[in-house]
C-alpha cells in the first residue's frame, strides 16, 4: 500500500474518530473537573439543557484538525517504516509469513510515528482542554479561533507545557500496536 493510502486512511480515522468520541471526551473532562454532576448521563443532560447540543462539541475544531494531521502522520510514518523493515528483512533473507515484521520492528515503527506526532499534538491538546473547561471561567472564549487569537503568547514554551509526558504517551503507540498481534 502506498504512503498516500496510509495518509488518507489516517485522515479519515482522525475526522470520524473525533466526531464520534468528542462528546464523550467533553463529558469525561467535565466529570473530572467539576463536582456538579452525579454521573455521565447527568452531565450529558445538563450540557444539553444549559448549552444545547452544540455544548457537547464546543472546541472540536482543534481536535478535528489536529487528529486529522496526527493520524495522517501516524498512519503514514508507521506504514513507511513497516514497508522499510519488510524490505530490510527480505534483503537479509528473513522472510516472515504474510510479509509481517518482527515485534521489535512493529514497536519501533509505532514509537517513531508516535514521537513525531507528539510535536504537533501538545499545542492542540492545550486548545482542546482550555475550550472544554472554559465554562468554569464563565465562557471566556467563543471558540477555537477566539482562543488562538486571545491566548497569552508569552512564549512558545507555554504551548508545549507537558510535552515530555505527552511525548511519552504518544511514543507508547508502538507498545499499543503489539497488543493486536
Amino acid at each position: 500500500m502506498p504512503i498516500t493510502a496510509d495518509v488518507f486512511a489516517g485522515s479519515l480515522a482522525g475526522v470520524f474518530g473525533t466526531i464520534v468520541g468528542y462528546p464523550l471526551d467533553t463529558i469525561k473532562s467535565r466529570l473530572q473537573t467539576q463536582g456538579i454532576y452525579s454521573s455521565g448521563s447527568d452531565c450529558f443532560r445538563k450540557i444539553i439543557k444549559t448549552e444545547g447540543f452544540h455544548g457537547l462539541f464546543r472546541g472540536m475544531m482543534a481536535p478535528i484538525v489536529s487528529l486529522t494531521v496526527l493520524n495522517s502522520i501516524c498512519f503514514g510514518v508507521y506504514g513507511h517504516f513497516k514497508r522499510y523493515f519488510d524490505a530490510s528483512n527480505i534483503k537479509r533473507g528473513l522472510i516472515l509469513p504474510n510479509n509481517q515484521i518482527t515485534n521489535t520492528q512493529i514497536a519501533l515503527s509505532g514509537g517513531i510515528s508516535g514521537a513525531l506526532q507528539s510535536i504537533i499534538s501538545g499545542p492542540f491538546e492545550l486548545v482542546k482542554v482550555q475550550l472544554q473547561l472554559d465554562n468554569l471561567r464563565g465562557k471566556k472564549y467563543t471558540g477555537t479561533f477566539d482562543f488562538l487569537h486571545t491566548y497569552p503568547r508569552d512564549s512558545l514554551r507555554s504551548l508545549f507545557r507537558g510535552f515530555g509526558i505527552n511525548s511519552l504517551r504518544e511514543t507508547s503507540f508502538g507498545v499499543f500496536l503489539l497488543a493486536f498481534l
Side-chain angles (χ1 to χ4, degrees), residues 56-168:
L56 293 169
F57 295 91
R58 183 170 165 71
M60 189 174 74
M61 182 59 70
I64 283 276
V65 171
S66 69
L67 289 173
T68 299
V69 171
L70 293 175
N71 281 336
S72 295
I73 291 169
C74 188
F75 280 47
V77 171
Y78 176 75
H80 169 77
F81 277 98
K82 188 172 185 272
R83 285 185 292 279
Y84 169 80
F85 285 128
D86 184 45
S88 174
N89 289 346
I90 291 170
K91 282 183 185 176
R92 293 185 330 201
L94 177 61
I95 309 296
L96 298 171
N98 299 321
N99 293 329
Q100 292 296 315
I101 59 177
T102 68
N103 289 350
T104 301
Q105 292 168 335
I106 290 170
L108 281 171
S109 299
I112 292 167
S113 69
L116 289 174
Q117 79 176 15
S118 72
I119 296 167
I120 297 169
S121 68
F124 281 104
E125 284 285 319
L126 171 75
V127 174
K128 178 191 83 156
V129 170
Q130 290 292 325
L131 289 173
Q132 283 180 324
L133 304 178
D134 190 41
N135 65 327
L136 290 173
R137 297 178 294 248
K139 294 192 180 181
K140 185 176 177 183
Y141 306 109
T142 58
T144 301
F145 296 110
D146 182 46
F147 173 82
L148 291 172
H149 180 70
T150 58
Y151 184 71
R153 290 182 176 84
D154 54 348
S155 68
L156 271 178
R157 202 168 151 189
S158 67
L159 289 175
F160 288 94
R161 226 173 253 134
F163 175 75
I165 293 296
N166 187 52
S167 183
L168 183 61

Side-chain angles (χ1 to χ4, degrees), residues 36-74:
I36 61 174
Y37 306 109
S38 61
S39 66
S41 58
D42 179 51
C43 182
F44 174 81
R45 282 190 298 275
K46 287 180 178 173
I47 290 172
I48 296 296
K49 183 177 181 180
T50 59
E51 302 174 47
F53 190 69
H54 172 76
L56 293 169
F57 295 91
R58 183 170 165 71
M60 189 174 74
M61 182 59 70
I64 283 276
V65 171
S66 69
L67 289 173
T68 299
V69 171
L70 293 175
N71 281 336
S72 295
I73 291 169
C74 188

